[in-house]
Amino acid sequence: MNEHDRLVDRAARDAKTVLFVGGLDAGKSTLARAVAAYALTLGRSVSYLDGDLGQKTVGPPGTVGMKRLHTPDDLTSERLAAADAVAFVGSTSPQGHLLPLVTGMTRMHARARAEGSDLIVVDTSGMVSGIYGQLVKYHKVEMLRPDLIVGLQRGEELDPLLGVLQRFFSVDVAPVGVHPSVVPSTVEQRAEHRQHAMARYFGAQLSRFRIRPTVFMPALPPLFDLAQLDRLLVGLSDGDGGYTGVGYLEHLPDEGALRLNAPVADPPKALRLGSVRLEESYRVKRVDLRNLFGTE
């Protein structure tokens, strides 16, 4: 049994929350699925929490997705993509979105636990280096309090981050090497993956709702040009602090109005503006809301 197999066995049997960290193409999702699959065969109740905003396993890009697993068949890519619940972050990168990311992960973790999961497998993004990488992972651990952190690394690249987590938290940290079968992807391939995930989500039957300019968070400034919101990603509020899904806005120039397009049946209570705009091909382009609003 190699180090990866031993880790899968240990996490599937003993952990309550196991958090995977590692750089780009470290094999986090592959190992997380292996842990979840084996835990299911042991009769455990398992949820998969996806905190990677861009390279999604559960839910559409720009969200934290949570999926309850019942059988190993639920771990196929198609089934995992259909989240049971999402928290809207509104960006495909953690940079500048630490608060909604950590808040969303905390809410999804609490929901999975409340629904009876005794093992929660947490996948994270590849942002692990520098000050921001350490801050993101520090606050995730602070709020989720995993009992096992798996660090997948090449050489000693995670030593600074794992050292911080070990000094600040009484958590079991298990560094392992990246599996030799992992194949690195290019920037273009990662962009295509985001594009396909977004297109898949919006490929379902879309509902269309007329939107009043008073339903947004942040609130629109006076005399705001609604055309600037065309194809902006938005989170669909359920009116109770959660989200029913994700949509995008469409500006109707002849009417000076906005329309929401979303794969949901019921209109949302309110909308939270994201920081990405969808092209017709479902590629995403980042938007700075401060520049859009002309405010600090």
Side-chain angles (χ1 to χ4, degrees), residues 73-257:
D73 288 341
D74 290 332
L75 287 160
T76 64
S77 296
E78 184 177 355
R79 289 197 185 183
L80 267 182
D84 290 326
V86 297
F88 183 71
V89 177
S91 173
T92 55
S93 169
Q95 193 85 35
H97 296 84
L98 176 59
L99 181 59
L101 171 58
V102 173
T103 301
M105 293 192 72
T106 304
R107 286 180 59 88
M108 292 296 98
H109 185 270
R111 177 164 176 167
R113 192 69 78 206
E115 292 181 0
S117 294
D118 58 67
L119 171 61
I120 302 174
V121 175
V122 184
D123 197 359
T124 66
S125 75
M127 181 176 284
V128 294
S129 61
I131 293 175
Y132 204 84
Q134 292 182 26
L135 283 173
V136 169
K137 297 304 187 289
Y138 172 92
H139 288 297
K140 286 180 180 179
V141 173
E142 180 182 34
M143 297 307 297
L144 302 184
R145 293 303 174 102
D147 49 326
L148 176 61
I149 296 174
V150 177
L152 290 151
Q153 62 179 343
R154 297 175 176 88
E156 300 176 348
E157 63 179 344
L158 292 186
D159 283 2
L161 170 61
L162 298 182
V164 166
L165 300 179
Q166 286 177 306
R167 285 190 292 274
F168 280 85
F169 303 100
S170 57
V171 58
D172 192 359
V173 175
V176 294
V178 172
H179 197 281
S181 66
V182 172
V183 179
S185 59
T186 65
V187 172
E188 182 61 26
Q189 286 172 328
R190 291 193 291 273
E192 289 179 358
H193 180 82
R194 288 192 296 270
Q195 179 184 6
H196 292 155
M198 200 72 85
R200 177 179 57 209
Y201 180 77
F202 286 109
Q205 182 67 37
L206 293 181
S207 298
R208 293 174 170 82
F209 308 99
R210 288 297 186 94
I211 298 298
R212 300 189 306 275
T214 56
V215 302
F216 294 106
M217 202 297 289
L220 302 183
L223 305 178
F224 184 76
D225 180 9
L226 297 180
Q228 296 190 72
L229 300 182
D230 190 51
R231 298 197 70 85
L232 203 70
L233 196 71
V234 292
L236 314 182
S237 170
D238 62 5
D240 193 32
Y243 294 89
T244 60
V246 173
Y248 67 89
L249 300 172
E250 183 180 0
H251 181 243
L252 308 174
D254 294 341
E255 304 172 40

